[in-house]
Amino acid sequence: MQLEDLNVIIKVAEFRSITSAAESLDMSTATASAAIKRVERLLGVELFIRTTRHLRLSVVGERYIPKCEQALQMLNQAQQNIKEELDIIDGELRISVPSDLGRNRVLPWLDEFMQFHPQISVRVHISDSNIDFYRDPVDIALRYGFHNDANLYGFKICNVPRVICATREYLNENGIPNHPNDLKHHNSLLYQLHDIIYDTWEFTRHKEKIKLKLQSNRTTNDAELVRRWCTNGKGVAIKSSLDMANDLLNENITRLLPEYKPTPTELWLICPSRQTITPAVRLLREHLKTKCDEVYAQLVEKGILDKTEFD
């Protein structure tokens, strides 16, 4: 019996759907169905009761599949322990990354990581949406935000201050804002996630809090497009300082209102279970931390950020 077939069985039991299990495992429905048939033929029993609309575990399946899960967990843990003892870093990293940070920062960092560890392969999923680990074909996700899901394992990479920015050409034509209220007279470049348009910006200066609803002629669900619009002089943007680091360092854009801080965020590496926290994932976590620290050191050295903003 092949371990891959057992993985299919467990996923089908989890989803109660051959199609959904196949999508999760990044295989065709026909391949998943063939795996079920092989296992059932070998055991001489049916593990699932299938109709045209529904699938459920048989009595035998209810008893057999939990034991398969335990056995696979033990095997996976044993493999990890051996690799750690022998200092073996290999396997495939199926990682989801945000659109802008992923394309312009993380992909070069992954290339460097793979040079250090040539037995690693990667499969990259680019999306700003939250990942459903039970349906999307990924094992780890790099995400902005504050991790508070007790069902997932999270490793904080760094704090991420946001910056207000625009090009010098745009500011020469439209004026430099001296207070957040001045942004009402500027074109704000807006980001949309699902059905929510983030057209309300919040700022803090000491104990003063300011909240503004802004106007825009450009809205997108792609964070990278917000950056492109900004660097092309189409308006003012609030962005992650990591996303905008190269443009800030190269003086393609100017940071505005540095004393008024947009609501900061954090960068996390998220895993669905302990089994996905392999030696390669741990090393990748440290690699990402190092690369982010290097970016922030450059921003601080050039006076674009203050160290207190991300401590």
Side-chain angles (χ1 to χ4, degrees), residues 62-294:
E62 290 177 351
R63 295 170 57 188
Y64 178 75
I65 290 175
K67 294 179 180 178
C68 288
E69 291 176 329
Q70 293 174 6
L72 283 177
Q73 287 176 4
M74 290 176 63
L75 283 171
N76 289 332
Q77 188 59 54
Q79 289 176 345
Q80 282 194 39
N81 292 341
I82 290 172
K83 289 179 179 181
E84 289 176 1
E85 290 172 5
L86 298 177
D87 198 25
I88 297 173
I89 307 300
D90 65 357
E92 182 181 65
L93 290 174
R94 303 193 304 174
I95 181 171
S96 175
V97 296
S99 64
D100 195 356
L101 182 71
R103 289 185 175 95
N104 301 296
R105 281 289 181 186
V106 177
L107 291 185
W109 293 348
L110 286 175
D111 289 340
E112 185 177 308
F113 183 73
M114 294 171 71
Q115 288 179 349
F116 293 148
H117 307 288
Q119 296 185 70
I120 291 288
S121 63
V122 299
R123 189 178 303 190
V124 180
H125 179 276
I126 292 183
S127 172
D128 288 324
S129 299
N130 288 331
I131 286 297
D132 184 341
F133 284 107
Y134 298 102
R135 293 191 179 275
D136 298 318
V138 300
D139 301 315
I140 52 177
L142 191 65
R143 280 293 176 269
Y144 285 125
F146 300 90
H147 174 63
N148 56 8
D149 191 335
N151 296 316
L152 302 174
Y153 292 83
F155 301 100
K156 185 177 175 181
I157 303 300
C158 62
N159 292 321
V160 181
R162 289 190 174 103
V163 293
I164 319 164
C165 49
T167 62
R168 180 58 58 185
E169 291 76 15
Y170 172 85
L171 296 171
N172 289 340
E173 185 175 340
N174 297 277
I176 299 174
N178 296 308
H179 187 276
N181 285 329
D182 296 339
L183 295 173
K184 294 178 181 178
H185 307 295
H186 286 265
N187 187 43
S188 303
L189 305 171
L190 300 181
Y191 176 65
Q192 176 179 348
L193 186 60
H194 304 307
D195 295 328
I196 300 173
I197 297 176
Y198 291 90
D199 57 357
T200 300
W201 292 358
E202 298 184 23
F203 307 88
T204 301
R205 181 177 180 268
H206 305 305
K207 294 184 179 180
E208 180 186 10
K209 292 187 181 297
I210 300 169
K211 192 178 207 179
L212 300 170
K213 188 175 178 67
L214 300 169
Q215 300 297 317
S216 176
N217 64 6
R218 285 175 168 81
T219 302
T220 179
N221 65 346
D222 188 332
E224 185 186 22
L225 187 50
V226 174
R227 183 183 60 79
R228 291 189 183 186
W229 281 338
C230 183
T231 56
N232 288 330
K234 304 304 181 184
V236 177
I238 283 185
K239 286 279 290 173
S240 151
S241 51
L242 281 175
D243 288 354
M244 305 305 291
N246 279 344
D247 294 302
L248 288 166
L249 291 167
N250 295 329
E251 300 183 358
N252 296 330
I253 57 170
T254 299
R255 184 183 183 185
L256 305 173
L257 304 171
E259 67 275 22
Y260 292 93
K261 314 296 185 191
T263 304
T265 187
E266 298 173 346
L267 186 65
W268 285 77
L269 188 65
I270 309 298
C271 306
S273 67
R274 286 189 180 275
Q275 284 69 39
T276 58
I277 308 172
T278 63
V281 169
R282 293 192 184 97
L283 284 175
L284 178 62
R285 174 192 63 193
E286 296 308 312
H287 182 68
L288 292 173
K289 283 185 176 181
T290 298
K291 302 309 291 186
C292 289
D293 287 345
E294 290 175 358

Side-chain angles (χ1 to χ4, degrees), residues 28-39:
S28 68
T29 302
T31 300
S33 296
I36 295 171
K37 291 176 182 177
R38 282 194 295 270
V39 175

